[in-house]
Amino acid sequence: MKVRLHRRGLARLVAATLLLSAVLGLVAMPASAHDDPETPHVIPDDPTTPHITGEARPRQIVVVEVNGLIDPIMASYIKRQLVTADGLHAIGVVLQVDSAGSTLDDDELVDLLDSVRLAHLPVGVWVGPSGAQALGGAAHLATAADFAAIAPGGRIGEFTAVAGLVHAHGAASRHDSQLGAAADNASSQAVHSHEGDGLHSGTSVRHYDADTAKGAGLTHSTAPVIGEFLFAMSDEGLLPPIGQNVTGDDGVVRRAPADDVVVSFVKLPLLDGLFHTAASPAVAYLLLLAGLSLLLLDFYTGGIGIAAMVAAVCVLLAAFGLGTLDVRLWALVLLIAGFVAFAVDIQTGVPRFWTAAGGAAVLAGSLTLFGQHSMSWIPLLVGLVGVGAFVLSGLPALVRTRYGTATVGREWLIGVEGTAVTDIDPDGTVEVHGARWRARVNRLTPLQAGEPLRVSGLSGVVLEVEPLEGAAVDYRQMRRKQTDSTVSETE
């Protein structure tokens, strides 16, 4: 008993430590996501890049990978990289965008676009590679950059109305003029809102591909690969000449980057990337279902275990992600209520009314959970099928495994004595041979915690128990025994 208590206390200590670490991470992460963009965050040079001074110093171009929804973490990272690239004397920054939208509010989005538009070095946006997209708030990055291009097969569009947004695309680059005249140029460029064609009115659902985006003034060219995009920026005069002609083994002359040009690809660090991934609709939804399922499993165990710790991590990450996204609160309540309904029928081992009610609630909550941010049918199907299989088949089997012992079969438990862990009136928990079980007793003979008992029968994963003395008499069993005795005497 002392060993069991010691193990349970150790498990609780580990769980509390994990929860505390997760909470501290959640508290610290948003603070770093909203750092003051005016404060330089200089990231050390790549250790593989030689530190050369004088005329031989390499000319660096920083390519920032912008994937997923643009949330506060990604926005802060983009602004930090703009400052860092300037501190490293880079000749330009490229945002490689593949994003379905933004979770930023209007003020945060305008602040990000201003950081791009007013950067101290040329900034380009490449929607690539093939199949990439820049929708919603991400599409506004193309209008704020000095140069924008899209890969074949990509798309840009679904612009949303943003309060306080002033942009000018399809006009001459800001860097064609000196930075000191930037404020004057802002008013002289072709600043417009496309209210006539609904492009930025908040009602447009139009998409532009590589061909139509240039005609609409959203991009300057088409670039299937990042190399051609950089050469296009150089040809426009935004970057100094970075190419050289190289003759291949086949005798064909090709354009290649100059020897002193270094292209550095950067992306979110591991911890920021974890929270950024959790803030996507599909991942947040699946994490929520996994966390609730594991909590439901651990609800039937005797203490805090591995399932509870994993569930805590999943729920905390899901809470962070859902807090960033546009979520309907009543749909979230439906999802949680569905799992509460599942818990009612799990102990019986047989799906009944509450299982059906829980399934309907989970289905309705899943279909209506997200507002502005949509989720594809693949994670939705995976989540619903996974929960259905877990609740109807996997969970009852896991419960039986956790409550069972290494012995095959449970019929041997009938007649075995044990102890009541909790009051049983009529349901509770008992301990038999060191294993804890859900148990039920006749209403006429309730048991108190600590009272000895005997197993009288089995009902699914629930034990039917009775006190060692004074158990209620089952007259049906007595009649059955009398009948058997009569038949024996007759024979």
Side-chain angles (χ1 to χ4, degrees):
M1 191 61 159
K2 292 183 179 179
V3 174
R4 189 178 300 111
L5 290 175
H6 174 70
R7 290 177 178 175
R8 192 178 306 160
L10 181 60
R12 289 196 176 99
L13 178 60
V14 173
T17 303
L18 181 61
L19 286 173
L20 180 59
S21 301
V23 170
L24 291 177
L26 287 178
V27 172
M29 192 291 309
S32 63
H34 295 278
D35 287 335
D36 186 358
E38 296 181 358
T39 303
H41 297 269
V42 178
I43 299 177
D45 292 292
D46 188 340
T48 61
T49 302
H51 294 264
I52 304 175
T53 59
E55 296 180 356
R57 181 183 180 90
R59 296 179 293 169
Q60 187 175 10
I61 301 174
V62 179
V63 180
V64 183
E65 298 182 14
V66 182
N67 298 320
L69 295 174
I70 300 178
D71 54 11
I73 296 176
M74 180 60 72
S76 176
Y77 184 69
I78 293 173
K79 291 185 287 186
R80 293 202 310 268
Q81 288 301 319
L82 292 175
V83 175
T84 300
D86 186 35
L88 296 176
H89 304 289
I91 61 176
V93 174
V94 175
L95 304 181
Q96 180 178 334
V97 179
D98 184 6
S99 173
S102 166
T103 65
L104 305 175
D105 58 33
D106 288 353
D107 292 337
E108 292 173 328
L109 182 57
V110 170
D111 181 60
L112 172 62
L113 298 178
D114 285 343
S115 298
V116 173
R117 183 171 59 87
L118 301 177
H120 294 167
L121 68 172
V123 179
V125 169
W126 179 54
V127 183
S130 179
Q133 59 185 355
L135 306 179
H140 287 293
L141 286 174
T143 68
D146 300 301
F147 190 83
I150 185 172
R155 59 176 183 164
I156 183 173
E158 291 189 3
F159 287 87
T160 55
V162 179
L165 176 62
V166 176
H167 68 281
H169 58 73
S173 169
R174 172 176 54 85
H175 287 277
D176 289 343
S177 305
Q178 298 298 323
L179 290 176
D184 296 334
N185 290 342
S187 60
S188 62
Q189 289 176 337
V191 179
H192 47 290
S193 63
H194 295 281
E195 293 181 356
D197 60 10
L199 185 61
H200 294 284
S201 64
T203 60
S204 173
V205 293
R206 298 173 59 184
H207 298 101
Y208 295 83
D209 57 21
D211 296 326
T212 58
K214 183 176 180 181
L218 299 176
T219 60
H220 297 79
S221 66
T222 301
V225 294
I226 188 68
E228 292 192 16
F229 177 80
L230 295 177
F231 289 141
M233 286 189 68
S234 178
D235 295 340
E236 286 289 325
L238 293 170
L239 298 178
I242 61 173
Q244 62 180 349
N245 294 328
V246 178
T247 303
D249 296 336
D250 54 1
V252 178
V253 178
R254 296 180 176 86
R255 195 178 186 186
D259 295 335
D260 63 338
V261 174
V262 177
V263 180
S264 302
F265 292 83
V266 297
K267 58 183 179 180
L268 286 171
L270 181 61
L271 184 59
D272 287 346
L274 174 64
F275 284 100
H276 174 67
T277 302
S280 64
V283 175
Y285 170 72
L286 293 177
L287 282 174
L288 177 64
L289 294 187
L292 292 177
S293 299
L294 291 174
L295 285 175
L296 186 61
L297 170 63
D298 198 75
F299 178 76
Y300 289 96
T301 62
I304 297 179
I306 299 299
M309 291 187 288
V310 175
V313 174
C314 291
V315 170
L316 286 173
L317 288 175
F320 171 80
L322 295 176
T324 304
L325 300 168
D326 180 19
V327 175
R328 296 185 178 96
L329 183 59
W330 58 267
L332 180 60
V333 172
L334 271 180
L335 276 173
I336 298 175
F339 278 85
V340 174
F342 289 150
V344 176
D345 279 350
I346 288 299
Q347 62 179 344
T348 66
V350 180
R352 297 179 180 176
F353 167 77
W354 288 109
T355 301
V362 170
L363 176 62
S366 300
L367 294 175
T368 58
L369 181 60
F370 298 104
Q372 176 184 356
H373 309 105
S374 61
M375 179 176 58
S376 69
W377 62 269
I378 296 178
L380 180 65
L381 183 62
V382 169
L384 292 176
V385 172
V387 168
F390 189 65
V391 171
L392 297 178
S393 178
L395 190 55
L398 288 173
V399 170
R400 288 193 297 269
T401 301
R402 299 194 102 180
Y403 288 148
T405 64
T407 305
V408 177
R410 301 187 307 275
E411 292 77 9
W412 63 273
L413 287 172
I414 298 178
V416 176
E417 297 181 2
T419 306
V421 177
T422 64
D423 292 342
I424 308 177
D425 186 17
D427 298 311
T429 303
V430 300
E431 184 173 307
V432 178
H433 278 267
R436 294 194 174 190
W437 297 76
R438 299 292 297 176
R440 184 180 299 114
V441 72
N442 190 297
R443 293 182 180 274
L444 298 178
T445 55
L447 291 167
Q448 302 295 323
E451 188 174 348
L453 53 86
R454 180 187 298 107
V455 179
S456 60
L458 299 171
S459 177
V461 296
V462 180
L463 301 183
E464 296 178 357
V465 298
E466 61 184 10
L468 295 181
E469 297 180 0
V473 179
D474 190 338
Y475 293 99
R476 292 174 298 179
Q477 187 174 2
M478 291 181 59
R479 285 197 297 270
R480 189 180 301 112
K481 291 181 178 180
Q482 292 175 356
T483 302
D484 295 340
S485 177
T486 303
V487 171
S488 300
E489 293 176 358
T490 303
E491 293 176 353

